[in-house]
């Protein structure tokens, strides 16, 4: 089986503050991320894995992990095309989103944001309020690849429930506020990741939901301040709605996805 894994950090167990996920910070919790990731990969040794390091500058997962897991191709590095979804195509059987978090504005959600913690106040696509899971799942869905499993906090699970009927979910923690969370014992979480992965891998591709948007597709981005809208207003297909909101429309979701990434890069993450 060919499996695509998109790695993020904020939704993992043991993580509650930006210092926990910021490289070169004394509180950086890389070891926490690697331990949880290895619990997942242990159950996928018989499969072909593409692992996209998609947090911040994309330099959180050490290359050495591929010595223990030679079935894994690791995508690393900062600014790159398709960012969190680099490498996905129609050849994959399923996607796993690992360490994902709730979208911006979710009450009591740890480090809530959607693609940019500093620039973007909200994103809607076809009037649906977005989080990174839905945005990225739809990009994979444009290739016909279903989302099979998510590892993240309880608030993201709440946000996803209306959109997926067949999704395996590992709840890593109970978010208590933007910078606080309740963690279950590490051993218990690692065992839950392993057991859930075993269950998920036994299901056929057709069991899972392919998340897509009907055309025409309209994305509205609300920025944190008017200067951000000033910066992106000249982008092709972009319509300025008011001081902090712009609209981009297309019949092709991949155009919408790339436009969002361009906005993020222009405004700075």
């Amino acid at each position: 089986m060919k499996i695509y894994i998109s790695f993020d950090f904020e939704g993992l167990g043991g993580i509650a503050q930006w210092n926990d996920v910021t490289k070169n910070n004394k509180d950086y919790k890389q070891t926490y991320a690697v331990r949880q990731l290895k619990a997942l990969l242990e159950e996928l040794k018989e499969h072909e894995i593409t692992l996209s390091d998609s947090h911040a500058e994309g330099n959180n997962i050490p290359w050495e992990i591929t010595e223990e897991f030679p079935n894994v191709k690791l995508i690393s590095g900062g600014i790159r095309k398709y960012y969190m979804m680099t490498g996905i195509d129609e050849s994959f059987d399923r996607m796993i989103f690992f360490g994902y978090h709730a979208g911006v504005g979710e009450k009591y959600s740890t480090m809530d944001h959607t693609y940019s913690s500093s620039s973007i106040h909200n994103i809607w696509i076809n009037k649906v309020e977005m989080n990174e899971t839905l945005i990225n799942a739809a990009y994979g869905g444009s290739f016909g690849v279903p989302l099979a499993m998510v590892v993240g906090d309880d608030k993201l699970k709440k946000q996803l429930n209306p959109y997926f009927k067949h999704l395996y979910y590992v709840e890593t923690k109970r978010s208590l506020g933007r910078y606080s969370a309740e963690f279950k014992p590490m051993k218990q979480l690692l065992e839950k990741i392993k057991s859930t992965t075993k269950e998920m891998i036994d299901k056929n591709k057709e069991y899972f939901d392919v998340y897509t948007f009907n055309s025409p597709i309209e994305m509205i981005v609300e920025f944190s301040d008017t200067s951000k809208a000033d910066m992106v207003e000249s982008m092709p297909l972009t319509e300025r709605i008011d001081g902090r909101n712009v609209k981009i429309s297309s019949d092709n979701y991949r155009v919408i996805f790339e436009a969002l990434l361009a906005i993020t890069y222009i405004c700075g993450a």
Side-chain angles (χ1 to χ4, degrees):
M1 197 177 296
K2 193 173 180 182
I3 302 171
Y4 186 90
I5 302 173
S6 179
F7 168 90
D8 206 359
F9 215 143
E10 291 90 347
L12 292 177
I15 304 301
Q17 302 179 39
W18 295 118
N19 287 348
D20 296 337
V21 299
T22 304
K23 199 167 187 179
N24 301 322
N25 186 291
K26 64 181 179 64
D27 296 320
Y28 180 56
K29 301 294 195 303
Q30 183 188 51
T31 56
Y32 289 6
V34 170
R35 288 193 69 176
Q36 292 170 72
L37 184 58
K38 284 185 175 181
L40 174 77
L41 295 177
E42 283 284 350
E43 306 303 325
L44 301 175
K45 285 185 173 181
E46 302 302 316
H47 306 281
E48 181 180 348
I49 307 298
T50 294
L51 173 58
S52 176
D53 187 339
S54 303
H55 172 74
E57 296 178 359
N59 56 357
N60 307 278
I61 304 169
W63 183 41
E64 287 81 3
I65 202 169
T66 61
E67 289 187 306
E68 184 175 349
F69 302 98
N71 61 317
V72 173
K73 295 177 183 176
L74 178 62
I75 296 174
S76 299
I79 295 176
R80 61 183 193 243
K81 199 168 186 180
Y82 311 125
Y83 186 42
M84 299 184 82
M85 300 302 293
T86 301
I88 191 74
D89 60 31
E90 61 279 347
S91 67
F92 286 88
D93 295 286
R94 62 195 61 190
M95 300 181 290
I96 298 172
F97 292 169
F98 189 88
Y100 273 49
H101 52 83
V104 63
E106 183 66 34
K107 186 178 179 181
Y108 301 135
S109 177
T110 304
M111 290 181 284
D112 60 302
H113 65 279
T114 304
Y115 262 94
S116 173
S117 59
S118 62
S119 300
I120 294 175
H121 189 66
N122 234 322
I123 301 172
W124 296 268
I125 298 179
N126 286 5
K127 299 182 180 180
V128 176
E129 192 170 353
M130 287 289 103
N131 53 51
E132 290 173 17
T133 299
L134 295 178
I135 291 168
N136 295 346
Y139 185 70
S142 74
F143 295 98
V145 183
L147 180 61
M149 179 173 166
V150 174
V151 177
D153 73 339
D154 64 324
K155 302 304 186 292
L156 175 59
K157 183 178 182 180
K158 171 189 169 186
Q159 288 187 335
L160 297 183
N161 280 339
Y163 303 104
F164 296 92
K165 294 180 180 179
H166 302 106
L167 179 67
Y168 283 87
Y169 198 99
V170 177
E171 186 177 304
T172 58
K173 59 192 172 189
R174 184 167 70 94
S175 291
L176 302 175
R178 185 159 172 81
Y179 302 118
S180 59
E182 178 185 86
F183 306 125
K184 59 189 70 176
M186 183 182 288
K187 183 179 179 181
Q188 181 181 334
L189 175 57
L190 297 179
E191 289 175 350
K192 182 63 175 177
I193 292 172
K194 289 182 178 181
S195 63
T196 303
T197 306
K198 283 181 181 178
E199 292 181 31
M200 177 275 299
I201 210 67
D202 284 339
K203 297 294 184 181
N204 293 326
K205 177 180 179 179
E206 293 72 24
Y207 174 79
F208 299 105
D209 302 307
V210 176
Y211 186 71
T212 58
F213 291 103
N214 294 325
S215 295
I217 303 164
E218 178 184 275
M219 176 174 68
I220 295 176
V221 180
E222 180 184 13
F223 293 102
S224 56
D225 60 71
T226 56
S227 69
K228 305 298 189 302
D230 293 342
M231 294 167 69
V232 305
E233 186 176 6
S234 296
M235 282 178 53
L237 306 179
T238 303
E239 176 187 345
R240 184 79 172 262
I241 299 175
D242 55 30
R244 293 192 294 122
N245 289 268
V246 300
K247 179 170 68 175
I248 299 176
S249 301
S250 175
D251 289 330
N252 186 343
Y253 181 75
R254 297 180 199 177
V255 172
I256 297 291
F257 184 79
E258 290 195 73
L260 177 58
L261 293 183
I263 287 171
T264 304
Y265 289 141
I266 289 169
C267 295

